[in-house]
Amino acid sequence: ASLATTVQSTNSTRRLILQAEMALGQFLFGGAISGGIGALMMKTHEMSSNSMIFYLRAIASGKSTFQEYSHQGSILAALVDSRAWNRLVLDVHGKMLEYWPR
């Protein structure tokens, strides 16, 4: 009877350790995912702030027309600026038509 009790106690201890390891793994995985999304949001916010600063400077200097602000070659530009998104869509469609068989 004491061997069965010891085995049962060992199994329950292993189960508790496994549950603790799984909880720690989920916590670390969630932290990594949240950190990545947070960094992406911070970069997006920085890009939109740079765009707003550019337009405000152009307005303050009295320019009536000015070139579109390029987001310094960033891949995220299409997610921040609707004009960058439209430009991306038009470029993709243009390339598709260029290579489309006649």
Side-chain angles (χ1 to χ4, degrees), residues 3-66:
L3 181 61
T5 306
T6 304
V7 169
Q8 185 178 13
S9 173
T10 304
N11 285 340
S12 65
T13 303
R14 286 181 184 166
R15 198 174 311 126
L16 287 174
I17 291 172
L18 182 63
Q19 287 175 349
E21 288 175 348
M22 287 174 55
L24 179 63
Q26 288 177 349
F27 176 75
L28 292 175
F29 181 70
I33 297 296
S34 298
I37 291 173
L40 179 70
M41 290 292 109
M42 286 176 60
K43 182 64 178 172
T44 305
H45 184 269
E46 176 190 358
M47 288 172 48
S48 64
S49 295
N50 287 342
S51 176
M52 182 174 48
I53 289 169
F54 173 80
Y55 288 121
L56 289 175
R57 282 183 182 160
I59 291 169
S61 69
K63 292 182 183 179
S64 58
T65 60
F66 48 89

